[in-house]
Amino acid sequence: MERELDHSPKVPESAHPGRWWHAIEDERIQCDLCPRDCKLHDGQRGACFVRQNLGGQMVLTTYGRSSGFCIDPIEKKPLNHFYPGSSILSFGTAGCNLACKFCQNWDISKSKDMDRLLDAATPEGIAAAAVAYGAQSVAFTYNDPVIFAEYAIDTALACHERGVRTVAVTAGYIHPEPAREFYAVLDAANVDLKAFTDDFYFKLCGGHLQPVLDILAYIHHQTKCWLEITTLLIPGKNDSAGEIQALADWVARELGPEVPLHFTAFHPDWKMSDLPPTPPATLTQARRIAIDAGLHYVYTGNVHDSEGGTTFCPSCQAALIERDWYNIRHYDLPADGRCPHCGTLIAGHFTRFGKPFGARRVPVRLERR
């Protein structure tokens, strides 16, 4: 059961009314946002660190606060079938509701130092900044936007009022009820499918696989949100041919052949710095397995691999969008998304192609409003 936040003097000015919670025994509250179902005493924070029981009510401590803003290429999310070549204003906050030992953004997602959040911005300010910088979309990224869902939803609504699209880069670890509201305001999402065993999720992420599979199916079949999937291949942990085969078969069977799948290279980080980087041959093998499983659009990432970065027509095999990492080298797809060689409709969202944004990363500061 949700409750209105009581604006008493004990509530810090930075706290924002949280949603998706209910009161339980012993004067505790339970967070209903994600499958962790954190049960919190007064003053206690959830596993994500940013959702807190304050006086018997849930608050979000990072609403309106960011770890920074950058203009990125859309390909960096990665999204290869959502307005290729366009720019996107990216930002995150702090904290995460998973505990991945291999986190590539651990300095943000694992941070419990709220002083890292130096940039303040209202949802309306973010939308205005996207327009001012010529970014066609805004991305909620760097840490998982599920944990700042209230802020992300309000920002998405403000962006849509200005004609700006919204994107989430997320692990998809969220309960069905908040997911309905979250994905209803998103134009696209890249969801990390971190592995295809529950053992991996439990031991290396502190979560479970099935809730993520359920959300992937929900997004694809019951929303208008464009979906792409990324799996970071970690040597010896989730890169066996058998596991990749099972993952690809599930995507083909449950989602269909037109959902793009990205296999990306791991680099040693956070609590798994003792492992080697992913060999390029592992990515190439994974891509071949997924294509043989019937998937039409399979990519490699975090490596220079022209073939693995190229969008091919699934019917005539023409190279329609050739990429080198985040750079588009060749573009041969009309605005209607049909292959100019055979007329096959390519899955995704496309428009008239101009000059691509390229591989630049442009840090920006928002004016405080």
Side-chain angles (χ1 to χ4, degrees), residues 20-297:
W20 308 295
W21 62 276
H22 68 278
I24 57 175
E25 71 281 353
D26 300 328
E27 299 183 345
R28 296 180 297 167
I29 64 173
Q30 177 174 315
C31 183
D32 299 323
L33 178 64
C34 89
R36 281 187 171 275
D37 294 330
C38 294
K39 298 172 177 61
L40 309 174
H41 290 284
D42 188 17
Q44 191 174 10
R45 294 172 182 262
C48 65
F49 191 70
V50 302
R51 306 182 75 82
Q52 182 181 23
N53 177 351
L54 202 58
Q57 300 177 70
M58 181 68 72
V59 298
L60 172 61
T61 61
T62 53
Y63 190 103
R65 307 172 72 196
S66 171
S67 54
F69 293 86
C70 283
I71 308 292
D72 293 320
I74 192 78
E75 287 76 17
K76 191 175 181 180
K77 299 306 107 187
L79 288 170
N80 283 357
H81 290 242
F82 189 76
Y83 303 103
S86 64
S87 62
I88 187 163
L89 175 63
S90 303
F91 81 98
T93 59
C96 188
N97 60 338
L98 288 177
C100 301
K101 295 182 179 179
F102 49 88
C103 184
Q104 312 283 281
N105 286 324
W106 63 269
D107 55 331
I108 295 172
S109 66
K110 306 306 177 191
S111 177
K112 295 185 178 181
D113 180 6
M114 293 298 109
D115 289 339
R116 289 188 58 86
L117 304 182
L118 300 177
D119 287 340
T122 64
E124 294 75 18
I126 294 170
V131 172
Y133 284 105
Q136 293 93 329
S137 306
V138 165
F140 313 122
T141 182
Y142 305 142
N143 69 314
D144 202 304
V146 161
I147 64 171
F148 60 91
E150 295 89 346
Y151 187 26
I153 289 171
D154 288 351
T155 301
L157 293 172
C159 285
H160 289 164
E161 289 182 359
R162 302 291 294 265
V164 176
R165 307 177 191 106
T166 53
V167 169
V169 180
T170 173
Y173 209 59
I174 184 173
H175 270 315
E177 182 179 344
R180 282 192 288 272
E181 295 186 56
F182 186 64
Y183 290 104
V185 297
L186 293 175
D187 298 292
N190 186 295
V191 177
D192 291 333
L193 179 53
K194 296 180 182 293
F196 207 68
T197 67
D198 196 65
D199 186 66
F200 179 103
Y201 265 88
F202 183 73
K203 291 181 178 178
L204 296 183
C205 303
H208 293 283
L209 171 62
Q210 192 59 50
V212 181
L213 299 182
D214 292 343
I215 284 298
L216 288 170
Y218 170 74
I219 296 170
H220 184 63
H221 294 298
Q222 298 186 50
T223 78
K224 296 180 180 179
C225 178
W226 173 252
L227 173 66
E228 301 193 22
I229 299 170
T230 295
T231 299
L232 182 77
L233 293 181
I234 304 174
K237 301 299 181 181
N238 66 347
D239 63 342
S240 71
E243 183 169 344
I244 292 167
Q245 184 74 62
L247 186 155
D249 287 345
W250 183 89
V251 173
R253 181 179 67 252
E254 301 297 333
L255 306 181
E258 297 198 326
V259 173
L261 175 61
H262 304 254
F263 291 112
T264 58
F266 162 86
H267 65 80
D269 219 330
W270 189 226
K271 296 182 178 180
M272 295 180 69
S273 58
D274 56 328
L275 294 180
T278 309
T282 299
L283 300 174
T284 300
Q285 179 192 40
R287 180 173 178 270
R288 175 46 53 193
I289 290 171
I291 290 172
D292 289 345
L295 300 185
H296 292 171
Y297 311 107

